[in-house]
Amino acid sequence: MFSNDRNIETIGQLVEVLKHYIGLQNEYLRLDVIEKVVRLITALIMAGVTFLIIIIIFIYLSFAAAYALAPHVGYPVAFLIVAAFYIIVFLLFLAFRKSWVEKPLVRFLASMLMEQE
């Protein structure tokens, strides 16, 4: 039954189709990885630009707050008050970094990389 030419030809065609399918799957996987890497790099660049803009805004707001407090408490104390505020924010950030940064970042990256379209 397996020795006739028709069966051998059919098996040969099946092998060719299977090779083509494996090649297409390989190409699809490569393109999917490239898309996810590009999306990740784009997200990182956008986060970096946003972070830079926010830092600049905080610098100007810090100086504005210090100069607004200066007539009431003097310049050195006003700048110390602003610095103390940032130290408190930094300590809160350290205490809650897992829930504020790590978990949302992991969820975001996992959803972006595991997304099926």
Side-chain angles (χ1 to χ4, degrees):
M1 176 174 174
F2 285 109
S3 64
N4 72 27
D5 290 337
R6 184 161 156 65
N7 286 341
I8 292 174
E9 184 180 317
T10 304
I11 291 173
Q13 288 174 346
L14 180 63
V15 168
E16 288 300 316
V17 168
L18 189 59
K19 284 182 185 177
H20 182 68
Y21 175 76
I22 290 171
L24 289 176
Q25 284 298 102
N26 188 22
E27 183 72 14
Y28 173 75
L29 180 63
R30 193 170 64 83
L31 290 173
D32 191 44
V33 167
I34 289 171
E35 177 198 4
K36 289 179 180 181
V37 167
V38 167
R39 290 178 65 199
L40 181 62
I41 290 171
T42 303
L44 288 174
I45 290 172
M46 291 300 296
V49 169
T50 303
F51 181 73
L52 184 64
I53 291 171
I54 289 173
I55 292 297
I56 291 170
I57 290 170
F58 275 123
I59 288 171
Y60 278 104
L61 288 175
S62 298
F63 278 110
Y67 282 112
L69 288 172
H72 304 292
V73 294
Y75 283 103
V77 176
F79 280 98
L80 285 175
I81 290 171
V82 172
F85 170 75
Y86 282 118
I87 289 171
I88 291 169
V89 169
F90 176 71
L91 292 175
L92 286 172
F93 177 78
L94 283 179
F96 296 107
R97 71 181 176 268
K98 286 197 187 296
S99 62
W100 288 355
V101 177
E102 289 178 16
K103 287 181 183 178
L105 186 61
V106 167
R107 271 189 248 124
F108 169 72
L109 291 175
S111 70
M112 187 171 66
L113 295 176
M114 300 303 249
E115 184 176 283
Q116 298 285 330
E117 291 185 24

